């Protein structure tokens, strides 16, 4: 027997189709212009054709038939049919080309805003960098780095936390699950496990301290996970985000297309953010501590008086909806479902 869990209309394909359909019925500015042209322009062209016929008959030696022929040519060429057809055809051609590249533009107004774009603001997470963290350094007190990774990977074997997955990926070896006993996970703090009857802790500095482990104070730029073996501090793992392979090329392409200002917002520490900016050759990077800081930064860019260009904000999280609202147009980058659920973005970039 088959059990239906959701309606067909809730599928990603149907929601994409609905977005395209709603975009097709929202030609507000274009419809107004075309409606005005449809009502007024033909009358003006008809009057012009009559005046041309009369003028040619009165002031030239052409026969009436030749004058009428020329007036009819003006009448045919002046009809707005081509304009009425060209506007929607151009938009749908744009939509078709963008969808083939994994980009959905929800409405014509957003397409018009894109044509005036000169400033693009990226929120680093999920757009220029991958969301999955990676181990960037192993700072061991006594053990060699590979042995420390091996013990940590075994201890984290039962955890689904992204940092645990990053440690296991960095180790890359076989995990003997039978060596792991008494695994416990403390949400938001760390894990505890027994590896071959030896207690192992991994987590924040405060987590280890509360379990009686003396941890050396460190001022790391990256996110860190501290580790103890046998109730003695063993070292720490440093994590960072991975810059997408296509990020640098995307920045170069935007500059070639006439984007004069490219800014990046990130919650990383200042020195980490600086290193990221050097990798992408970005001239402007803004450290934001939360969603409110990010929204304020975007607001300062769009608050410039008498500006004719537009500001585009691209992010990988719908939690930055306030910043999206301040931008002239917003782009959401991510999986299809996440993008479709984001109502604040007029541009959806599917990954």
């Amino acid at each position: 027997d088959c059990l239906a869990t959701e309606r067909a209309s809730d599928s990603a394909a149907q929601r994409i189709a609905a977005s395209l359909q709603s975009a097709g019925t929202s030609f507000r500015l274009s419809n107004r212009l075309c409606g005005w042209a449809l009502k007024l322009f033909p009358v003006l062209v008809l009057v012009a054709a009559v005046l041309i016929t009369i003028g040619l008959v009165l002031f030239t030696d052409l026969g009436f038939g030749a004058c009428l022929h020329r007036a009819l040519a003006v009448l045919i060429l002046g009809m707005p049919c081509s304009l009425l057809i060209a506007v929607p055809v151009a938009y749908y051609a744009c939509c078709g080309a963008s969808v083939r590249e994994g980009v959905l533009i929800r409405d014509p107004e957003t397409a018009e805003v894109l044509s005036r774009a000169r400033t693009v603001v990226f929120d680093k997470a999920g757009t220029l960098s991958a969301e999955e963290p990676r181990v960037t350094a192993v700072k061991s007190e006594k053990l060699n780095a590979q042995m420390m990774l091996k013990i940590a990977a075994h201890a984290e074997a039962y955890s689904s936390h992204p940092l645990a997955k990053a440690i296991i990926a960095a180790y890359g070896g076989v995990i003997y699950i039978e060596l792991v006993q008494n695994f416990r996970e403390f949400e938001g703090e760390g894990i505890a496990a027994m590896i071959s009857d030896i207690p192992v802790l991994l987590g924040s500095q405060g987590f280890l301290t509360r379990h009686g482990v003396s941890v050396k104070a460190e001022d790391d730029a990256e996110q860190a996970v501290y580790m103890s073996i046998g109730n003695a501090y063993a070292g720490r793992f440093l994590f960072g985000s991975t810059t997408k392979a296509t990020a640098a090329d995307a920045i170069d392409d935007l500059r070639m297309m006439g984007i004069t200002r490219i800014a990046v917002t990130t919650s990383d520490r200042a020195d980490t953010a600086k290193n990221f900016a050097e990798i992408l050759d970005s001239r402007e990077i803004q450290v934001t501590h939360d969603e409110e800081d990010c929204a304020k930064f975007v607001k300062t860019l769009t608050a410039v008086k008498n500006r004719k260009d537009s500001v585009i904000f691209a992010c990988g999280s719908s939690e930055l909806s306030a910043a999206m609202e301040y931008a002239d147009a917003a782009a959401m980058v991510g999986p299809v479902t996440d993008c479709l659920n984001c109502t604040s973005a007029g541009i959806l970039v599917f990954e």
Side-chain angles (χ1 to χ4, degrees), residues 6-348:
E6 293 184 7
R7 295 179 299 177
S9 58
D10 294 330
S11 67
Q14 288 295 327
R15 292 167 70 185
I16 291 175
S19 295
L20 286 172
Q21 185 176 5
S22 64
T25 58
S26 63
F27 286 100
R28 297 169 187 166
L29 177 60
S30 301
N31 274 345
R32 287 197 299 269
L33 291 175
C34 291
W36 172 84
L38 183 62
K39 293 178 180 179
L40 184 60
F41 193 64
V43 177
L44 297 177
V45 172
L46 183 60
V47 171
V50 172
L51 293 177
I52 289 174
T53 303
I54 296 174
L56 290 175
V57 170
L58 295 177
F59 301 106
T60 67
D61 296 331
L62 296 173
F64 179 77
C67 296
L68 184 61
H69 183 271
R70 286 166 172 75
L72 288 174
V74 172
L75 186 64
I76 293 172
L77 293 175
M79 283 293 102
C81 297
S82 58
L83 175 64
L84 295 173
I85 296 174
V87 172
V89 167
Y91 173 69
Y92 280 117
C94 173
C95 284
S98 63
V99 167
R100 285 192 293 271
E101 298 296 329
V103 179
L104 174 63
I105 302 175
R106 275 180 160 160
D107 52 70
E109 287 78 9
T110 301
E112 292 177 8
V113 171
L114 280 175
S115 68
R116 303 192 303 271
R118 294 296 178 270
T119 300
V120 176
V121 181
F122 289 98
D123 183 65
K124 175 189 165 188
T127 57
L128 301 177
S129 66
E131 294 184 357
E132 298 80 11
R134 63 182 179 89
V135 177
T136 57
V138 179
K139 303 292 185 180
S140 179
E141 293 293 301
K142 295 180 181 179
L143 300 174
N144 64 61
Q146 190 60 27
M147 179 57 69
M148 187 170 166
L149 272 172
K150 182 177 182 179
I151 297 172
H154 279 75
E156 296 276 18
Y158 286 107
S159 176
S160 60
H161 194 279
L163 297 183
K165 293 180 179 180
I167 291 175
I168 294 172
Y171 167 56
V174 178
I175 294 179
Y176 301 95
I177 201 69
E178 64 273 8
L179 299 178
V180 184
Q181 299 173 337
N182 300 332
F183 174 84
R184 290 176 296 163
E185 188 162 14
F186 302 83
E187 185 176 354
E189 295 185 294
I191 63 100
M194 299 287 290
I195 309 297
S196 298
D197 298 325
I198 300 174
V200 176
L201 296 175
L202 284 121
S204 65
Q205 184 176 352
F207 175 69
L208 267 66
T209 301
R210 285 191 295 274
H211 282 76
V213 179
S214 178
V215 180
K216 293 171 60 176
E218 304 288 352
D219 186 23
D220 296 311
E222 296 87 356
Q223 186 176 12
V225 167
Y226 295 83
M227 178 178 178
S228 70
I229 302 175
N231 298 320
Y233 178 59
R236 66 193 188 281
F237 299 96
L238 303 182
F239 299 85
S241 56
T242 304
T243 304
K244 291 183 178 179
T246 56
D249 291 338
I251 296 294
D252 291 339
D253 290 343
L254 287 174
R255 287 174 178 151
M256 292 179 63
M257 293 168 60
I259 303 299
T260 57
R261 185 177 185 181
I262 298 176
V264 179
T265 62
T266 176
S267 58
D268 292 337
R269 294 179 56 161
D271 42 6
T272 304
K274 182 179 179 181
N275 293 336
F276 183 81
E278 291 175 353
I279 293 173
L280 294 181
D281 190 25
S282 178
R283 298 180 177 87
E284 183 175 359
I285 190 157
Q286 180 75 21
V287 177
T288 55
H289 300 290
D290 51 30
E291 292 83 0
E292 185 178 353
D293 281 352
C294 186
K296 288 180 180 179
F297 176 68
V298 176
K299 184 179 180 180
T300 58
L301 298 180
T302 57
V304 178
K305 294 182 179 180
N306 300 322
R307 63 183 180 91
K308 298 180 180 179
D309 57 350
S310 55
V311 176
I312 311 299
F313 177 66
C315 65
S317 173
S318 58
E319 294 180 358
L320 296 172
S321 58
M324 295 186 196
E325 295 294 338
Y326 283 123
D328 296 311
M332 175 69 182
V333 182
V336 174
T337 303
D338 292 348
C339 289
L340 291 175
N341 288 335
C342 181
T343 57
S344 300
I347 308 161
L348 307 181

